[in-house]
Amino acid sequence: MKQVSSKKWGSKKDHETLYTEWQGRLHRTRNFQNDEFIITLSKSKRGAHHIDLGKHIMRGYQLHIVFPGQRSHFSILDYTFAYQLRIAKINFEKVCTALRFSLHLYRIHPVQDLTQSEFEKLLYELRNIGNELHMDRPLLEIICSRARITLQEISRILEKRINDINLFKIPSVLFEFLQLVKLHYNKEHNVTFYAKKLNVSSDYLLSLTRNHLNVTPTKVIKDEILAESKRLLSLVPITIKTVMYQVGFEDQAVFTHFFKSLTGMSPTEFQKSTITF
């Protein structure tokens, strides 16, 4: 496998963002647990991408997404072109709010077939990031902005396919639950509310999310609240209280405990970290 280029964003190893292009055949990447968010565009005739326990056949133009904490590796069996952006977890947490839907939907189908036009549009954005990384003094604001645009384009591609619930292979009730959470997370934090809206029991909703998403309904709600909290905190200027009220909390101490328990940082610490991003 021929590696064309490798470029980095950030000075510390655990904060690096890398852009790489490679091409070739008969290649197998190392299978390991990632601590990065990885976007790969591929143009291939034959191969496979293994993500956790799933095997995804490589063919034509495709988009591949791997989240931090997942295991993955490629097995390339025919000549393949691949373009890959690897965003360190700490950086991904600051731009992931550009993904418009619940992260669970992206995880369910991490590999999407693309049209040539969709492929070229995403490749344009990835290469712009790679070109900026290659500068002697890359501008982090440009890299951050381009990363968000890339995630928004991925969401746009997903939106085109979201009308077909069968694409995600999840029950319609679960799909409706995810959509309801998007609509009401800033007011309703209790699973009972969503169960009543769907005319199902809380236990049934729990079985659905565990069987299909490997999480609890509470985790789905918390993830949505957290994602919006991060997005708002990255806006300057904005107060912690404003963010707190917008995501449905009335006590700042409770909100701070919620945020820190999930991120390891207080809202103030996270907000400061976004300023230097």
Side-chain angles (χ1 to χ4, degrees):
M1 181 71 71
K2 177 184 177 184
Q3 180 170 294
V4 178
S5 63
S6 178
K7 301 163 187 177
K8 301 179 179 180
W9 165 22
S11 56
K12 294 183 180 180
K13 188 173 181 181
D14 60 344
H15 290 184
E16 283 180 351
T17 289
L18 310 176
Y19 174 73
T20 306
E21 297 181 3
W22 33 273
Q23 57 182 278
R25 70 175 74 203
L26 299 174
H27 177 78
R28 180 183 175 90
T29 60
R30 186 165 60 94
N31 183 15
F32 66 99
Q33 183 169 321
N34 301 289
D35 196 29
E36 303 161 302
F37 178 73
I38 305 172
I39 300 170
T40 305
L41 296 177
S42 66
K43 184 169 66 172
S44 178
K45 291 183 178 178
R46 194 159 59 106
H49 187 189
H50 302 264
I51 303 175
D52 291 332
L53 299 178
K55 179 180 179 180
H56 305 274
I57 302 302
M58 297 176 67
R59 59 177 182 271
Y61 297 102
Q62 288 182 320
L63 164 68
H64 307 250
I65 296 177
V66 177
F67 285 86
Q70 293 187 300
R71 300 183 67 88
S72 71
H73 71 276
F74 287 93
S75 298
I76 307 299
L77 303 176
D78 207 333
Y79 207 87
T80 295
F81 294 87
Y83 312 87
Q84 188 174 85
L85 181 68
R86 306 174 72 99
I87 303 176
K89 181 179 179 182
I90 191 172
N91 290 335
F92 173 64
E93 289 179 346
K94 298 166 187 173
V95 298
C96 68
T97 52
L99 291 171
R100 293 177 48 208
F101 305 106
S102 167
L103 297 187
H104 301 295
L105 284 181
Y106 300 90
R107 285 177 177 270
I108 291 169
H109 270 257
V111 178
Q112 291 287 338
D113 293 330
L114 301 176
T115 64
Q116 184 175 350
S117 175
E118 291 169 337
F119 180 88
E120 290 174 351
K121 185 175 289 187
L122 285 173
L123 180 56
Y124 173 80
E125 297 299 340
L126 293 192
R127 280 184 162 165
N128 273 326
I129 294 174
N131 290 336
E132 188 64 32
L133 290 168
H134 194 64
M135 297 287 187
D136 290 335
R137 294 183 179 180
L139 296 177
L140 302 187
E141 294 85 356
I142 291 178
I143 296 169
C144 178
S145 177
R146 286 291 183 188
R148 287 182 179 276
I149 289 172
T150 301
L151 297 184
Q152 289 167 349
E153 286 294 342
I154 289 172
S155 294
R156 179 181 291 175
I157 289 168
L158 185 63
E159 185 175 21
K160 292 177 182 178
R161 295 154 171 79
I162 208 166
N163 290 329
D164 182 4
I165 295 176
N166 291 328
L167 175 66
F168 301 100
K169 295 181 180 177
I170 60 175
S172 59
V173 172
L174 180 52
F175 184 84
E176 290 174 26
F177 168 61
L178 296 176
Q179 296 303 99
L180 282 173
V181 171
K182 291 290 293 184
L183 290 173
H184 300 288
Y185 70 89
N186 60 337
K187 294 181 180 178
E188 301 292 343
H189 299 176
N190 197 301
V191 174
T192 303
F193 167 83
Y194 298 96
K196 287 183 177 179
K197 276 278 188 181
L198 295 166
N199 293 317
V200 299
S201 69
S202 297
D203 287 343
Y204 179 68
L205 195 54
L206 175 61
S207 70
L208 283 178
T209 58
R210 278 184 171 169
N211 290 336
H212 294 274
L213 304 177
N214 199 31
V215 295
T216 66
T218 300
K219 181 68 163 58
V220 174
I221 299 167
K222 284 184 176 181
D223 284 351
E224 202 64 51
I225 297 168
L226 182 63
E228 179 63 7
S229 298
K230 287 179 176 179
R231 187 188 73 80
L232 291 171
L233 287 168
S234 66
L235 302 177
V236 179
I238 192 168
T239 67
I240 305 299
K241 279 191 174 182
T242 299
V243 174
M244 173 191 79
Y245 288 131
Q246 289 197 30
V247 296
F249 286 85
E250 297 183 357
D251 186 301
Q252 189 164 337
V254 174
F255 174 64
T256 298
H257 175 75
F258 165 83
F259 192 92
K260 192 167 186 177
S261 68
L262 296 177
T263 66
M265 292 187 287
S266 69
T268 301
E269 290 168 337
F270 179 84
Q271 189 174 51
K272 287 180 179 178
S273 73
T274 63
I275 297 172
T276 59
F277 177 68

